[in-house]
Amino acid sequence: MTRSGVQAEDTQEGPANAPEREEAARGDGDNGVGGTDDTRETGDASGEGTGDEAGDGRRPRRGRRVLRWTAVALAVVLAGTAGAGYLYYQHLNGNIKKDVLNLGDNKVAEPTPNAAGQTPLNILVIGSDARDSEANQQLGGARETFGSTPLADVQMLVHLSADRSNMSVVSMPRDTLLEIPKCTDPDDGEVYPASDGRVMTNQSLGHGGPGCTVATWQELTGIHIDHFVMVDFAGVVSMADAVGGVPVCVDANIHSRDNEGHGSGLKLAKGTHPVKGKQALQWLRTRYGFEDGSDLARAKAQHMYLNSMVRVLRENATLSSPNKLRRLAEEATAALTVDPGLDTVKKLYDLSDELRRVKPERITMTTMPNRYVGARVEPTEDAEQLFRLVREDIALDGKDARKKPDAEPKASADPAAPDAEIAVQVRNGTRTDRLAMAPGRANTVAGLLADRGFAKAVADPSVLPSEDRTVVRYPSADLEGDARRVAKSLGVPAGSVQRSTDVSGVTLVVGADWREGTAYKAPGSDDSTPESAEALNGADESACMEVNPAFTWS
């Protein structure tokens, strides 16, 4: 079948809630090729688009982004490029498209290295609904939206632990309400002001490119992002073919098509089947027919597919042929858009080499915990717990080596100066996504320090960060002892003392965990992954998608 015959499910069909809720907010448009439901969703307004697209050989401009699905992009990073890394090197390098990493003004401090000097690695995998070519249009339909502003409909954060022993993946529903920061397009200098209140996260891609999606994630989560990867839609079908198929499972017969033509067209019998090409694309885009028909159900199906594809690639059974390796390398590099830190085959190879160290049983796939706000969703308190675990490099599978109860970080080689000589800047970082800044906290804590002998402690009202936990930061090794002394005087744990080049001196940031009072009490250390994150283990071969009875057949 030609690609023009592929029917693909709409990437703009609504929020992560059941279809009956979303129909109350707008029309439902999971059409295939030639669909007519062409209104694209850019906030709380009604209307949807009808598909996705890919490349036709032309190098797309920034405003014409790649398709939405992230599973293939991550799988390619995991292993695909590595096998063919040195085949016609310059040719493959020329295939790779590049874009700026972060278009926002604010920076998030890099994580502090562990005792072995290792740091975690965070990669944001992005996809969009852009339709910038005939190939994408044929696969996704919606000719009326050709060339429209792209939306980042699927977003996954891949976290590789500092010791490279485990990997965590966090998906964010596309209709999550949040604030998009100010972003500047480096191509033409256009400034996109910060959003006026909360809008859907998928709008971020249209604010100058993927670097604004990165900036948005960093603002929400406080997680430093090292790289991003986007995948071109037209490569989805070819890459699935190149790896020889990926096993997926359904607990009943499924046909993703209703009497109005909505759905991906996926038709599978009950059980486990290897899917590739058109069927793989249908699986990854199916919403109608899985569980409650929500975007969350589709994300779960993508997680299952990705876990399975990683296992296939690790086994290497289908990639032993040089021709298959060459084909996968061609499709992978042509499909990718990356930041400058990943813009060559060698860089992608090095990254994949690190990622491949993680065994499937140490890979955990999750979805950001959320709750409905009308027809949209917002992060919950459990989401902040999940973000904290990633920030602190705590494995989501709960298999981290247990630390001794009274273990303390290695003593600093830098002795502290006398308290009266230690200059300390105190900042108010008590603002959260749900709570306004607690007024006066910087002045209160600076006064507290002064009363305890730190005569050079002053409030810094010029910077208003957002921190869930109180931290003490220092810029260089010669100030580490001073920073630890400040922390100890307030009862702040030694683990909350961080080295950061984003500060010029010892800086105390009063976090959301100390919004009142003069006695700091460190929060309890519940390091378990919230149940609402619906964690899926990468080695779970028994995972099977639940089929909605309205979309089954006999």
Side-chain angles (χ1 to χ4, degrees), residues 62-118:
R62 166 186 303 280
R64 306 295 182 255
R65 292 295 151 203
V66 291
L67 167 87
R68 64 184 273 299
W69 91 218
T70 61
V72 167
L74 178 56
V76 168
V77 173
L78 283 170
T81 315
Y86 294 102
L87 299 175
Y88 44 98
Y89 181 79
Q90 294 301 325
H91 167 70
L92 294 181
N93 282 346
N95 284 347
I96 302 169
K97 296 174 284 293
K98 295 168 279 291
D99 226 319
V100 179
L101 175 62
N102 188 341
L103 303 184
D105 291 340
N106 298 329
K107 295 182 179 180
V108 172
E110 295 184 22
T112 302
N114 62 15
Q118 302 165 304

Side-chain angles (χ1 to χ4, degrees), residues 286-299:
T286 292
R287 181 172 70 88
Y288 287 93
F290 285 155
E291 299 186 347
D292 62 354
S294 72
D295 236 18
L296 298 178
R298 176 161 55 189

Side-chain angles (χ1 to χ4, degrees), residues 392 409 469-473 487 492-498 507 513 520 522-523:
E392 297 181 7
R469 290 194 177 193
T470 298
V471 295
V472 181
R473 296 194 171 108
V492 175
S496 295
V497 179
Q498 305 170 352
T507 303
D513 59 347
Y520 177 72

Side-chain angles (χ1 to χ4, degrees), residues 369-419:
N370 60 83
R371 57 175 163 249
Y372 294 127
V373 180
R376 304 287 178 257
V377 299
E378 66 180 5
T380 63
E381 291 76 11
D382 281 354
E384 175 51 37
Q385 166 77 346
L386 187 64
F387 298 152
R388 180 183 69 80
L389 296 179
V390 174
R391 282 196 303 269
E392 297 181 7
D393 196 26
I394 297 171
L396 299 186
D397 60 7
K399 296 179 182 178
D400 272 342
R402 297 296 177 187
K403 298 178 181 179
K404 295 180 180 180
D406 298 323
E408 288 287 337
K410 185 174 64 174
S412 170
D414 171 57
D419 292 354

Side-chain angles (χ1 to χ4, degrees), residues 472-495:
V472 181
R473 296 194 171 108
Y474 62 95
S476 56
D478 61 326
L479 291 176
E480 181 179 0
D482 293 356
R484 291 196 178 192
R485 172 60 192 149
V486 170
K488 186 175 182 180
S489 72
L490 294 172
V492 175

Side-chain angles (χ1 to χ4, degrees), residues 73-309:
L74 178 56
V76 168
V77 173
L78 283 170
T81 315
Y86 294 102
L87 299 175
Y88 44 98
Y89 181 79
Q90 294 301 325
H91 167 70
L92 294 181
N93 282 346
N95 284 347
I96 302 169
K97 296 174 284 293
K98 295 168 279 291
D99 226 319
V100 179
L101 175 62
N102 188 341
L103 303 184
D105 291 340
N106 298 329
K107 295 182 179 180
V108 172
E110 295 184 22
T112 302
N114 62 15
Q118 302 165 304
T119 55
L121 191 64
N122 296 306
I123 306 160
L124 186 63
V125 187
I126 310 169
S128 87
D129 72 338
R131 302 175 183 88
D132 59 355
S133 70
E134 291 182 5
N136 277 333
Q137 190 178 15
Q138 289 172 347
L139 286 170
R143 292 173 174 80
E144 297 84 355
T145 56
F146 185 89
S148 299
T149 302
L151 303 174
D153 270 359
V154 173
Q155 304 164 29
M156 288 185 182
L157 179 68
V158 180
H159 172 83
L160 181 62
S161 66
D163 63 5
R164 304 309 190 246
S165 67
N166 65 88
M167 186 188 306
S168 304
V169 180
V170 180
S171 293
M172 183 188 296
R174 66 173 189 177
D175 53 353
T176 299
L177 294 176
L178 45 68
E179 295 181 2
I180 298 176
K182 184 184 79 171
C183 292
T184 304
D185 189 328
D187 284 352
D188 56 17
E190 182 175 356
V191 176
Y192 294 84
S195 61
D196 184 11
R198 297 193 303 176
V199 297
M200 285 173 53
T201 183
N202 65 356
Q203 293 186 38
S204 60
L205 189 59
H207 289 221
C212 194
T213 305
V214 169
T216 301
W217 267 78
Q218 289 196 157
E219 290 282 336
L220 175 68
T221 67
I223 298 169
H224 175 82
I225 295 177
D226 302 282
H227 301 290
F228 75 78
V229 174
M230 295 200 303
V231 63
D232 184 275
F233 187 33
V236 171
V237 172
S238 298
M239 281 191 287
D241 287 341
V243 298
V246 175
V248 296
C249 176
V250 287
D251 69 354
N253 299 340
I254 181 175
H255 187 199
S256 179
R257 182 72 71 210
D258 65 12
N259 56 13
E260 296 181 358
H262 300 139
S264 70
L266 177 71
K267 189 172 185 179
L268 289 175
K270 177 181 178 180
T272 300
H273 309 273
V275 295
K276 59 182 181 179
K278 172 186 173 182
Q279 271 196 325
L281 179 62
Q282 290 173 329
W283 175 274
L284 291 160
R285 306 194 65 197
T286 292
R287 181 172 70 88
Y288 287 93
F290 285 155
E291 299 186 347
D292 62 354
S294 72
D295 236 18
L296 298 178
R298 176 161 55 189
K300 185 183 295 185
Q302 291 173 345
H303 291 168
M304 289 183 185
Y305 180 95
L306 176 55
N307 283 340
S308 185
M309 190 172 192

